[in-house]
């Protein structure tokens, strides 16, 4: 075998192996996700001499589905549809709970991500949360909440771990109590993802 033929054969074997490895480790797939959500509220006031006290984070949950598609060896995109429960806890100065106001959302989150290491992904993109209602009537609630979302994920075969952060760009509600108090969300997520298609491939 000539040196040139050997180089061509070696190159072909390497590219075939890399392509095969990429196909196996970077498959396109549908999945489901669910976990813990912590909603924290920032409050602004229209008057510098008036503050709104007694607002605490609400511990809640999220659940949804996603599709992830490979663009290149390092880039992927992901689209999520989620249900989220957010809200506010009103507390007395001593920490006693007065009431909880819950807001329910259906969200659409398109994300672009990088996957520098097998199994790991870092994603960022916009998020739109459409209001589905509240547990307490609130005429001031915004119909849509928009913001920026990010994810850090690790996928091992069919099971994944995820943490996420969302920062809203608009108020989700407001109160007029002599001063206008605007409420803005930021949320943290921590949960699991499950890819049924990869489980079926593993069982073959």
């Amino acid at each position: 075998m000539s040196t040139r033929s050997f180089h061509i054969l070696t190159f072909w074997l390497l590219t075939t192996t890399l392509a095969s490895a990429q196909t196996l480790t970077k498959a396109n797939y549908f999945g489901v996700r669910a976990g813990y959500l912590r909603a924290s509220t920032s409050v602004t006031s229209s008057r510098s001499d008036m503050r709104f006290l007694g607002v605490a984070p609400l511990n809640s949950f999220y659940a949804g589905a996603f599709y992830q598609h490979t663009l290149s060896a390092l880039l992927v995109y992901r689209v999520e549809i989620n249900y989220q429960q957010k809200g506010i806890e009103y507390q007395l100065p001593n920490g006693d709970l007065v009431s909880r106001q819950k807001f329910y959302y259906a969200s659409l989150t398109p994300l672009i991500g990088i996957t520098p290491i097998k199994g790991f992904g870092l994603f960022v993109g916009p998020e739109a949360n459409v209001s589905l209602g509240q547990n307490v009537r609130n005429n001031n609630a915004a119909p849509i909440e928009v913001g920026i979302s990010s994810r850090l994920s690790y996928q091992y075969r069919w099971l994944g771990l995820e943490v996420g952060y969302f920062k809203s760009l608009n108020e989700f509600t407001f109160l007029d109590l002599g001063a206008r108090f605007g409420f803005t969300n930021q949320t943290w997520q921590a949960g699991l993802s499950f890819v049924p298609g990869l489980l079926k491939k593993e069982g073959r």
Side-chain angles (χ1 to χ4, degrees):
M1 179 184 294
S2 66
T3 303
R4 183 178 179 181
S5 298
F6 176 77
H7 287 163
I8 292 173
L9 180 60
T10 302
F11 177 76
W12 178 79
L13 287 173
L14 285 173
T15 54
T16 302
T17 302
L18 289 173
S20 176
Q22 180 173 324
T23 300
L24 291 174
T25 60
K26 289 181 172 290
N28 305 325
Y29 51 78
F30 288 92
V32 294
R33 58 192 302 270
Y36 164 79
L37 182 150
R38 182 176 177 84
S40 179
T41 301
S42 300
V43 184
T44 59
S45 174
S46 62
R47 292 178 52 177
S48 59
D49 61 333
M50 294 185 67
R51 296 176 57 198
F52 193 93
L53 302 177
V55 174
L58 180 74
N59 297 314
S60 188
F61 71 95
Y62 69 91
F66 66 93
Y67 172 71
Q68 186 164 309
H69 184 82
T70 299
L71 296 174
S72 70
L74 289 177
L75 289 177
V76 297
Y77 75 76
R78 173 170 170 166
V79 180
E80 297 178 356
I81 298 176
N82 298 299
Y83 170 82
Q84 301 182 57
Q85 181 178 283
K86 305 181 184 182
I88 312 168
E89 285 195 353
Y90 297 102
Q91 296 181 350
L92 296 174
N94 63 2
D96 289 345
L97 177 67
V98 176
S99 65
R100 290 188 180 93
Q101 188 171 9
K102 297 180 181 180
F103 296 79
Y104 312 111
Y105 295 97
S107 66
L108 175 65
T109 312
L111 301 165
I112 189 76
I114 58 172
T115 54
I117 303 173
K118 179 182 176 182
F120 283 94
L122 179 61
F123 302 84
V124 66
E127 180 170 310
N129 299 316
V130 179
S131 176
L132 300 177
Q134 308 91 38
N135 70 326
V136 177
R137 185 175 180 181
N138 184 341
N139 294 326
N140 298 330
I144 300 178
E145 178 187 51
V146 295
I148 302 297
S149 194
S150 60
R151 302 274 187 275
L152 177 63
S153 70
Y154 174 69
Q155 189 77 32
Y156 179 73
R157 297 181 179 176
W158 50 269
L159 186 64
L161 300 174
E162 296 184 344
V163 293
Y165 174 75
F166 167 79
K167 174 65 175 177
S168 178
L169 300 178
N170 67 305
E171 297 174 355
F172 67 90
T173 191
F174 69 90
L175 290 175
D176 192 347
L177 302 173
R180 186 185 186 282
F181 297 99
F183 298 81
T184 306
N185 257 325
Q186 57 180 336
T187 58
W188 290 263
Q189 296 179 359
L192 299 175
S193 62
F194 173 62
V195 182
L198 296 182
L199 179 60
K200 292 179 181 178
K201 288 182 181 179
E202 186 178 306
R204 290 178 181 175

